[in-house]
């Protein structure tokens, strides 16, 4: 197993402080300790191979070899300048990108069997050092520009676009229906993967850069798209995907069966110090309970690992295919296994039983059949092979679809794909509505933070070109 996944006691960080389960005492992922002492040593392992597959496989095309070289030479300020030139939130990506599938998975040293250069950890280290040393200054555009952009959704796509456009002097307002900015960085991804202090620090930086953030503002309820269009010269829709996929089975309306986001949001809010009624009354608190999570993606892994940290009595994960075919990151699955999650592969819920609230999940055992059109083997029920599992809480983590944006925004002409994602021109992320652009999960479907940042930056370029063309048009008129 990769050494970085081992859990160690690193003294100061007590399990209470970490909210760790009593089952696995004193654990913390080792990379926290590793980055402080070994960044330079790790960076110097880069062979500067001349064929930077790491860079090609980074969605932001980060200039990794250069900032590794500068880190190895101890020139951290220069390393930060290069790393932040292509990435709007390197400290976030360094923490939560699935590096095993992106940059690190394509490191030639990894492929020659000597273990990857730990690119993500170094990227995070460089940026954290830059914050600590005051090298990160609020954005100060060379000159102010009167044109304004309204961005709907303050997740990574919206934030990245806001930063890029503000650098050009545009007046930016970020609207978000949550009470805090950050999108899934703040209320989806758990604190043990991404420290919320990192996200809050970035939000403060946006405010200091004179980006206006309007929270508790839901487009579709508090304003229509048309209202915002009248207020701004261009609009970016970066609303993410939030419609949870459902399990429609006998008993699925019993109490204590709920979607993953309810559980994760409550836990994140609690971690941020909020009063959360549904957590305090036990609804979304796993402590002392038998927890069953349905699904095999990264959201399911976040739920099982959160339940472990809340000191659940038992945590099981049902997935209808086998381990090899799990959609979640292999690293996340390994972490969950090591923390004591009981994975029940090749199993799917058949029904839920209980008097008023769920007490048991009846499970169909599955086998893998012929591959479907996507090439993945189709799970088939093994007739007569059933099991039952005790459950006090069942968490549905089966993925997300887009909400009906044209209906919600009262803009029926807005074109969407057959999946409900917003159709854009891939060159500039323009929608079919004049002056309206879209970026992030609402265009790609549920994806990754690094792709949302990439889209936000690309959309900013498209918006800037559009706004400049408006000025030219006005001058010509
Ligand atoms: C549990 C979970 C864990 C994840 N873990 C990882 C991970 O480890 N690594 C990784 O790379 N990716 C991870 N992802 C995926 C990643 O979080 C998303 O791909 C990314 O956040 C998408 O960014 P976005 O800006 O498009 O949307 P979001 O982050 O979803 O932000 C959209 C914002 O729009 C706001 N909004 C929506 N509708 C409206 C409206 N009508 N009016 C106003 N505001 C609105 C929302 O409140 C939200 O703040 C995870 C996702 C989940 C659900
Ligand atoms: S942004 Fe992600 S993929 Fe790119 S270098 Fe950083 S960790 Fe690797």
């Amino acid at each position: 197993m990769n050494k970085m996944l081992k859990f160690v006691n690193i003294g100061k960080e007590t399990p209470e402080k970490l909210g760790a389960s009593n089952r696995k005492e004193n654990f913390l992922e080792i990379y926290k300790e590793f980055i402080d002492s070994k960044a330079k040593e790790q960076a110097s392992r880069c062979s500067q191979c001349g064929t930077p597959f790491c860079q090609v496989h980074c969605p932001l095309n980060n200039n990794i070899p250069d900032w590794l070289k500068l880190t190895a030479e101890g020139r951290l300020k220069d390393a930060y300048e290069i790393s932040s030139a292509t990435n709007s939130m390197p400290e976030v990506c360094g923490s939560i990108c699935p590096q095993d599938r992106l940059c690190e998975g394509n490191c030639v040293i990894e492929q020659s069997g000597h273990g990857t250069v730990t690119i993500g950890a170094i990227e995070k280290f460089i940026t954290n050092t830059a914050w600590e040393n005051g090298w990160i200054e609020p954005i100060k555009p060379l000159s102010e520009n009167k044109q304004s952009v309204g961005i709907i959704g303050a997740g990574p796509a919206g934030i990245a676009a806001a930063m890029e456009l503000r650098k050009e002097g545009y007046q930016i307002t970020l609207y978000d229906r949550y009470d805090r900015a950050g999108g899934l960085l703040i209320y989806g991804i758990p604190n043990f993967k991404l420290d919320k202090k990192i996200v809050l620090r970035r939000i403060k930086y946006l405010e200091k850069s004179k980006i206006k953030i309007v929270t508790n503002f839901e487009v579709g309820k508090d304003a229509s798209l048309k209202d915002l269009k009248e207020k701004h010269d261009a609009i970016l829709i970066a609303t993410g995907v939030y419609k949870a996929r459902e399990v429609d089975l006998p008993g699925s309306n019993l109490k204590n069966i709920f979607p993953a986001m309810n559980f994760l949001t409550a836990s994140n809010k609690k971690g941020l110090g909020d009063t959360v009624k549904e957590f305090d009354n036990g609804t979304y608190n796993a402590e002392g309970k038998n927890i069953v999570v349905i699904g095999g993606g990264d959201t399911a892994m976040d739920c099982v690992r959160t339940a472990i940290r809340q000191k659940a009595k038992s945590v099981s994960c049902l997935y209808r295919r086998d381990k090899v075919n799990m959609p979640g990151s292999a690293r996340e699955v390994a972490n969950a296994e090591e923390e004591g999650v009981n994975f029940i592969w090749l199993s799917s819920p058949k029904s839920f039983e209980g008097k008023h609230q769920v007490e048991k999940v009846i499970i169909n055992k599955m086998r893998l059949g012929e591959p479907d059109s996507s090439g993945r083997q189709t799970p088939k029920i093994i007739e007569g092979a059933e099991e039952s599992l005790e459950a006090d809480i069942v968490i549905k983590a089966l993925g997300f679809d887009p909400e009906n944006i044209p209906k919600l925004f009262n803009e029926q002409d807005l074109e969407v794909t057959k999946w409900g994602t917003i159709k854009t021109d891939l060159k500039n992320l323009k929608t079919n509505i004049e002056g309206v652009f879209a970026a992030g999960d609402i265009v790609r479907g549920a994806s990754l933070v690094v792709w949302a940042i990439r889209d936000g930056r690309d959309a900013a370029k498209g918006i800037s070109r559009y706004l400049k063309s408006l000025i030219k048009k006005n001058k010509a008129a």
Side-chain angles (χ1 to χ4, degrees):
M1 175 181 290
N2 184 336
K3 190 166 169 269
M4 281 176 63
L5 300 177
K6 289 255 167 72
F7 297 108
V8 290
N9 181 354
I10 62 161
K12 273 197 309 198
E13 303 278 15
T14 63
E16 288 75 23
K17 208 167 149 196
L18 295 164
S21 112
N22 52 5
R23 194 172 310 111
K24 194 101 193 173
E25 293 292 343
N26 296 354
F27 67 75
L28 181 65
E29 279 148 64
I30 200 167
Y31 54 70
K32 283 208 172 175
E33 178 192 46
F34 154 84
I35 57 165
D36 292 337
S37 54
K38 300 237 175 98
K40 202 168 161 186
E41 183 189 315
Q42 263 295 322
S44 61
R45 289 183 62 234
C46 174
S47 66
Q48 298 288 319
C49 58
T51 48
F53 293 121
C54 56
Q55 181 168 357
V56 173
H57 287 87
C58 165
L60 292 163
N61 201 21
N62 277 345
N63 193 344
I64 300 163
D66 278 9
W67 47 256
L68 286 179
K69 189 164 185 283
L70 290 165
T71 304
E73 290 168 359
R75 293 167 58 191
L76 287 177
K77 196 168 182 197
D78 295 332
Y80 166 71
E81 294 299 335
I82 294 194
S83 134
S84 62
T86 50
N87 192 349
S88 312
M89 287 185 273
E91 72 281 31
V92 171
C93 293
S95 302
I96 56 161
C97 267
Q99 287 102 4
D100 50 344
R101 305 201 309 251
L102 301 170
C103 53
E104 293 179 12
N106 291 280
C107 167
V108 290
I109 300 182
E110 167 79 357
Q111 286 169 0
S112 63
H114 297 286
T116 178
V117 174
T118 49
I119 298 164
I122 297 167
E123 186 178 30
K124 178 174 151 189
F125 172 71
I126 295 169
T127 316
N128 281 340
T129 308
W131 280 111
E132 280 156 24
N133 285 285
W135 301 335
I136 304 182
E137 302 268 0
I139 301 165
K140 283 199 189 91
L142 287 177
S143 61
E144 290 294 339
N145 187 323
K146 279 199 183 124
Q147 287 172 303
S148 83
V149 183
I151 300 180
I152 311 168
I159 291 174
M163 284 171 61
E164 289 308 295
L165 288 163
R166 185 68 196 124
K167 284 179 196 165
E168 293 193 49
Y170 295 113
Q171 309 308 310
I172 311 297
T173 307
L174 274 164
Y175 298 94
D176 204 289
R177 65 183 172 191
Y178 281 147
D179 57 349
R180 286 187 176 92
L184 289 171
L185 301 181
I186 197 90
Y187 286 146
I189 301 170
N191 200 50
F192 61 85
K193 266 171 64 183
L194 178 64
D195 190 337
K196 299 301 158 197
K197 282 193 226 108
I198 290 182
V199 186
L200 297 175
R201 182 174 63 188
R202 186 56 75 174
I203 303 305
K204 211 173 247 171
Y205 163 87
L206 297 180
E207 285 167 340
K208 284 188 180 161
S209 302
K210 299 206 165 40
I211 290 169
K212 195 169 163 202
I213 302 176
V214 182
T215 50
N216 293 312
F217 187 98
E218 181 166 352
V219 178
K221 212 172 90 196
D222 298 308
S224 66
L225 185 62
K226 192 163 164 271
D227 296 333
L228 289 192
K229 274 192 72 194
E230 280 166 11
K231 215 167 156 194
H232 299 285
D233 299 288
I235 297 288
L236 175 68
I237 305 175
T239 47
V241 289
Y242 284 89
K243 197 169 106 195
R245 292 191 191 133
E246 278 304 326
V247 189
D248 190 14
L249 294 171
S252 49
N253 55 356
L254 282 167
K255 258 178 79 181
N256 288 356
I257 303 178
F258 45 73
M261 275 305 288
N262 296 21
F263 179 62
L264 293 173
T265 305
S267 170
N268 276 317
K269 277 183 174 265
K270 200 69 202 164
L272 283 156
D274 294 356
T275 305
V276 185
K277 208 175 86 206
E278 292 88 350
F279 184 92
D280 297 335
N281 69 18
T283 309
Y284 297 144
N285 184 353
E287 186 170 355
K289 296 178 186 162
N290 295 305
I291 309 297
V292 177
V293 175
I294 306 170
D298 286 338
T299 302
M301 293 313 102
D302 286 348
C303 290
V304 291
R305 298 185 71 202
T306 299
I308 289 271
R309 281 158 177 76
Q310 289 179 358
K311 300 186 170 70
K313 187 171 163 197
S314 74
V315 183
S316 304
C317 180
L318 299 187
Y319 179 57
R320 60 194 181 137
R321 292 189 169 91
D322 57 5
K323 185 175 177 180
V324 182
N325 284 292
M326 290 274 283
S329 142
R331 186 172 68 181
E332 285 297 299
V333 177
N335 285 344
E337 275 186 310
E338 205 164 315
E339 290 168 20
V341 173
N342 170 31
F343 281 94
I344 312 180
W345 318 108
L346 292 163
S347 56
S348 169
K350 182 184 179 199
S351 60
F352 305 101
E353 291 182 357
K355 229 171 168 191
H356 301 293
Q357 62 180 57
V358 67
E359 289 164 23
K360 250 188 224 169
V361 184
I362 308 300
I363 301 169
N364 274 324
K365 293 307 291 174
M366 316 290 283
R367 66 180 173 80
L368 292 181
E370 293 301 309
D372 62 15
S373 56
S374 72
R376 292 182 83 197
Q377 284 179 282
T378 318
K380 304 259 184 215
I381 293 173
I382 305 175
E383 291 304 332
E386 279 177 20
E387 282 176 11
S388 125
L389 189 63
E390 269 184 60
D392 301 308
I393 286 180
V394 172
I395 301 172
K396 300 175 280 184
L398 294 130
F400 302 92
D401 289 316
E403 291 159 283
N404 187 337
I405 297 289
K407 187 169 170 214
L408 215 70
F409 284 12
N410 197 17
E411 188 67 69
Q412 296 297 346
D413 292 340
L414 180 68
E415 272 182 17
V416 293
T417 66
K418 64 176 177 182
W419 301 281
T421 48
I422 297 179
K423 249 190 198 170
T424 57
D425 177 339
L426 294 180
K427 284 198 301 290
N428 47 27
L429 296 176
K430 235 179 190 171
T431 69
N432 65 316
I433 310 271
E434 170 77 11
V436 179
F437 296 73
D441 280 5
I442 193 59
V443 173
R444 293 180 177 273
S447 178
L448 293 173
V449 169
V450 65
W451 279 114
I453 293 176
R454 164 73 190 266
D455 285 352
R457 294 172 69 94
D458 287 350
K461 283 187 200 134
I463 292 171
S464 175
R465 273 197 299 270
Y466 169 74
L467 292 176
K468 286 185 179 114
S469 76
L470 283 188
I471 293 177
K472 268 192 200 156
K473 249 193 230 164
N474 287 343
K475 274 187 186 157

